[in-house]
Amino acid sequence: MEIRKLFQAFCLIICSIHFLLYFPLTAVAKQTNLLPPGYAIASANPLATNAGLEILSQGGNAFDAAVAVSAVLAVVEPYHSGLGGGGFWLLHQEKEHKNIFIDGRETAPLAAKEDMFLASDGRLIPELSLNGGLAAAIPGEPAALVYIAKNYGRLPLTKTLAPAIKLAEEGFLVDKQLSSFLKNKDRLEQIRKYPSTAKIFLNKGQPFQIGERFIQKDLANTLKLLAMKENQGFYAGEVAQRLVKGVNAAGGIWTLEDLARYRIKVREPLIGAFHNMLIITSPPPSAGGIALLTMLNILSHYPLSSYSKIQWIHYLAESMRLAYWQRERFLGDPDFISIPVERLLSAENGKQLSSLIPAHKALPSDVLRGKVKQKTLKPAHSSNTTHFSIIDGEGNRVSATMSINYIFGSSVVAEGTGVLLNDQMDDFATKPGEENVFGLVGGNKNAIAPGKRPLSSMTPTFLELPDRVAILGTPGGSRIPTMILIASLVFHDTYGAISMVSSMRFHHQYLPDVLQFEPDTFSPAIQDALKNMGYHLLPLKRYYGDMQAITWDKSTNMLTAASDPRAIGLAAAIVSTPSGYGHGAQF
Ligand code: GLY
């Protein structure tokens, strides 16, 4: 039996005592020699999925396709991610049996200060970290794409960025998502404030309509410079000068040194186990991986499959509450603070946390925190960020989540660059103890400091069962980790990609102390039962998330790719037939 199978058998035995293990298993997670029957991509936009498929059909690997898909998403969903933002790319090299986490998260400018979003009386001014130049952190996506292309791809950037350049230069037809985000009153007002932004996103002063052609010539030129000069095309020279000038004219504090000093970080992914399932996920500065493993650690103490629906919801909701409680107290940028990762993910911690959960009632958040003011019951915003998943014919995988934070980020485009800048500074604890745009209450560990990365919820993840593999992730702000939790449990319960992206969603994040749920998720009887248990319910009017998942069943050698039915993405699995590649399935 090979090492990975042995490990999983070992987990099965050990997990009955210590259900969740944490240690870097990158080298241990050895794969079988079986190769996928083809390749698959699931992304939030059909144009991005098609660009990735084109690169794979030209002989590129999953990492080349990842560069192409990231760049096309930057062009066709500029309101979600882009060169002005950052992200996390989780890579798996099949031959090398290696998992790698590329942290292309933005950093605070060197002139940033802990109290930069506070008025002189100490009051938080929330708009400052959401809109305008001060909200923008130093982008990481361009450097991440260059690094992935140079270290893992086999095609030059001139080839992998070509689809994005073409779509920016020649334009594409506005889809319903771009059109509806452009009609958002608050965002439209911000876009109108900056002529360099309005010039791109408005058509004769009005939002573009569905079917109109949307062209971004300046962005095409910036992408060309990146393709030709790599980091020097973005972090130095003309583009860098324009970025600094544009951000500072909009109230920012950037310098050329900020851009010149930006570096991606290559980190060790977190690896844990839930019964016989390995979870390979995002380390800090993502809070998502630790939250996911903590929730699974807690849940491994309960026989979930034998539970009634109400018990199942109760234990999931409480595991969510406890994981987000831990987030506030311990998490931040690991290069600036020390995070007791091993202790947080230990079986002992899982046991202690699970012992806090009452069997038949909710655990009020104020018991955990001391008396807290009940926060507003407003649903957190979640229309932001994007995700894609890829597997190639050699078994290499990519799970990537990218963001400019809130829709249209800071709304600032530096004149002549076409680059819409992020408002990722809002992901810091702008005033510890206060809520951010996702309703998350930040702790001191995530306070602002020059060069520091803000804590993120982005959670690109791989799951491995003895005979099945999953690649998954989603946008959705603070709700990302709980969506990944539910999808992981669905996968563990033998279901595949289609069930993972379409299953019901509910969310608890400790503060505010409310259990949010999508329309039609809880029946009136379940809602009554939850209320009787002490839950404050928040029925949402809209669905959330946009999960992109791929599953590879090694026992049947079947690839399935699925894109969340809640949005406009496209998943495609192209499998080989005896006469060559050709049989495709799209969802
Ligand atoms: N800006 C969203 C996140 O990183 O969680």
Side-chain angles (χ1 to χ4, degrees):
M1 200 184 316
E2 87 254 349
I3 295 171
R4 182 170 163 275
K5 284 247 170 76
L6 267 175
F7 169 71
Q8 277 162 340
F10 163 79
C11 268
L12 214 51
I13 300 160
I14 291 299
C15 289
S16 58
I17 315 160
H18 290 158
F19 275 148
L20 195 130
L21 307 168
Y22 161 73
F23 44 90
L25 278 170
T26 322
V28 182
K30 199 173 173 198
Q31 305 299 297
T32 63
N33 293 325
L34 181 72
L35 293 180
Y39 49 81
I41 302 183
S43 96
N45 189 286
L47 295 169
T49 298
N50 287 336
L53 294 174
E54 190 185 316
I55 292 295
L56 289 172
S57 72
Q58 288 170 10
N61 61 16
F63 314 117
D64 293 309
V67 173
V69 173
S70 305
V72 169
L73 287 171
V75 173
V76 299
E77 290 189 317
Y79 44 83
H80 276 166
S81 73
L83 298 188
F88 298 141
W89 289 257
L90 178 63
L91 315 181
H92 170 80
Q93 287 182 300
E94 178 72 1
K95 249 197 217 132
E96 291 78 2
H97 316 303
K98 231 175 136 185
N99 296 305
I100 307 117
F101 184 81
I102 308 295
D103 169 356
R105 184 72 164 159
E106 299 90 331
T107 53
L110 295 170
K113 295 204 170 60
E114 195 173 329
D115 60 357
M116 63 192 272
F117 298 115
L118 305 186
S120 50
D121 60 2
R123 210 174 16 93
L124 178 67
I125 313 173
E127 307 79 65
L128 281 185
S129 57
L130 282 173
N131 300 314
L134 209 53
I138 308 303
E141 178 160 333
L145 299 190
V146 170
Y147 187 86
I148 293 167
K150 286 178 76 145
N151 292 278
Y152 302 99
R154 56 172 77 115
L155 299 179
L157 274 172
T158 44
K159 210 159 198 165
T160 49
L161 294 184
I165 292 169
K166 189 166 190 282
L167 283 161
E169 198 152 53
E170 296 174 11
F172 62 94
L173 303 185
V174 169
D175 56 51
K176 68 174 184 192
Q177 196 163 273
L178 174 55
S179 150
S180 98
F181 283 143
L182 279 171
K183 286 186 193 134
N184 177 307
K185 238 177 97 208
D186 160 62
R187 297 289 88 193
L188 192 54
E189 194 182 307
Q190 291 304 322
I191 288 170
R192 287 206 160 109
K193 271 192 189 163
Y194 304 101
S196 49
T197 311
K199 194 166 84 177
I200 298 169
F201 291 102
L202 302 181
N203 191 5
K204 300 190 188 89
Q206 295 307 316
F208 277 89
Q209 302 292 326
I210 296 180
E212 288 181 341
R213 186 160 287 275
F214 181 65
I215 295 173
Q216 300 169 87
K217 292 259 189 230
D218 288 342
L219 182 57
N221 287 336
T222 303
L223 281 162
K224 280 182 198 166
L225 284 170
L226 188 68
M228 285 178 315
K229 299 187 175 175
E230 302 177 349
N231 283 340
Q232 294 298 306
F234 186 89
Y235 295 94
E238 185 193 323
V239 171
Q241 278 161 14
R242 285 180 183 272
L243 288 172
V244 171
K245 194 170 163 205
V247 168
N248 293 351
I253 50 172
W254 286 20
T255 61
L256 285 172
E257 192 189 350
D258 281 311
L259 288 162
R261 280 173 56 155
Y262 183 85
R263 295 287 180 276
I264 59 111
K265 298 274 174 161
V266 180
R267 301 189 192 275
E268 190 77 34
L270 295 180
I271 305 197
F274 175 74
H275 302 292
N276 62 340
M277 180 170 75
L278 281 186
I279 303 105
I280 299 142
T281 190
S282 311
S286 167
I290 290 192
L292 175 65
L293 295 180
T294 303
M295 292 184 281
L296 289 168
N297 194 1
I298 294 168
L299 291 171
S300 63
H301 291 267
Y302 303 99
L304 290 181
S305 54
S306 69
Y307 279 175
S308 66
K309 188 163 177 193
I310 190 81
Q311 278 176 306
W312 190 83
I313 295 165
H314 169 58
Y315 284 102
L316 259 69
E318 292 308 326
S319 74
M320 294 173 183
R321 184 199 308 271
L322 290 165
Y324 281 72
W325 175 49
Q326 196 167 261
R327 170 189 174 125
E328 184 194 332
R329 289 179 304 149
F330 294 106
L331 302 187
D333 181 344
D335 298 332
F336 281 71
I337 59 159
S338 131
I339 305 175
V341 176
E342 231 160 299
R343 179 160 69 77
L344 293 178
L345 298 182
S346 67
E348 186 55 32
N349 192 39
K351 204 163 146 203
Q352 268 177 12
L353 290 172
S354 63
S355 72
L356 298 174
I357 304 178
H360 301 293
K361 52 185 180 121
L363 170 68
S365 296
D366 60 10
V367 167
L368 298 171
R369 202 187 195 212
K371 201 76 188 155
V372 284
K373 181 168 65 110
Q374 176 66 61
K375 298 278 171 180
T376 48
L377 299 192
K378 277 191 314 210
H381 295 284
S382 69
S383 304
N384 69 317
T385 313
T386 194
H387 182 87
F388 67 84
S389 297
I390 300 181
I391 189 165
D392 68 18
E394 295 155 46
N396 300 309
R397 310 172 215 151
V398 180
S399 176
T401 313
M402 299 157 299
S403 182
I404 54 169
N405 198 29
Y406 196 39
I407 357 167
F408 293 102
S410 64
S411 299
V412 176
V413 172
E415 178 64 48
T417 64
V419 175
L420 182 57
L421 293 156
N422 69 84
D423 56 355
Q424 219 70 253
M425 292 299 287
D426 193 63
D427 273 352
F428 279 115
T430 46
K431 180 174 181 183
E434 299 270 337
E435 291 174 22
N436 74 356
V437 74
F438 303 113
L440 282 172
V441 176
N444 286 321
K445 304 271 179 185
N446 188 30
I448 302 170
K452 192 175 175 184
R453 286 159 150 84
L455 199 57
S456 171
S457 297
M458 296 186 289
T459 319
T461 297
F462 301 141
L463 304 171
E464 293 184 3
L465 282 164
D467 291 322
R468 296 191 300 134
V469 167
I471 306 162
L472 73 159
T474 181
S478 57
R479 298 180 183 127
I480 293 174
T482 60
M483 285 187 261
I484 303 291
L485 169 73
I486 293 171
S488 302
L489 294 172
V490 166
F491 178 70
H492 185 255
D493 279 355
T494 76
Y495 297 99
I498 298 170
S499 304
M500 292 162 76
V501 301
S502 37
S503 61
M504 63 166 190
R505 288 177 185 156
F506 58 91
H507 171 77
H508 202 298
Q509 60 181 45
Y510 162 57
L511 292 176
D513 188 351
V514 291
L515 180 57
Q516 323 176 4
F517 54 97
E518 286 192 320
D520 308 321
T521 292
F522 297 159
S523 68
I526 295 271
Q527 292 185 43
D528 286 345
L530 288 167
K531 278 187 212 155
N532 288 337
M533 292 170 82
Y535 283 102
H536 306 287
L537 297 187
L538 179 60
L540 299 171
K541 293 197 178 67
R542 295 213 199 126
Y543 296 90
Y544 61 88
D546 188 5
M547 187 172 286
Q548 310 299 327
I550 293 172
T551 46
W552 173 28
D553 186 332
K554 295 182 181 179
S555 62
T556 55
N557 206 17
M558 257 188 73
L559 266 186
T560 309
S563 193
D564 203 314
R566 295 161 181 82
I568 64 163
L570 176 71
I574 310 292
V575 298
S576 58
T577 61
S579 54
Y581 280 107
H583 175 65
Q586 301 200 330
F587 296 95

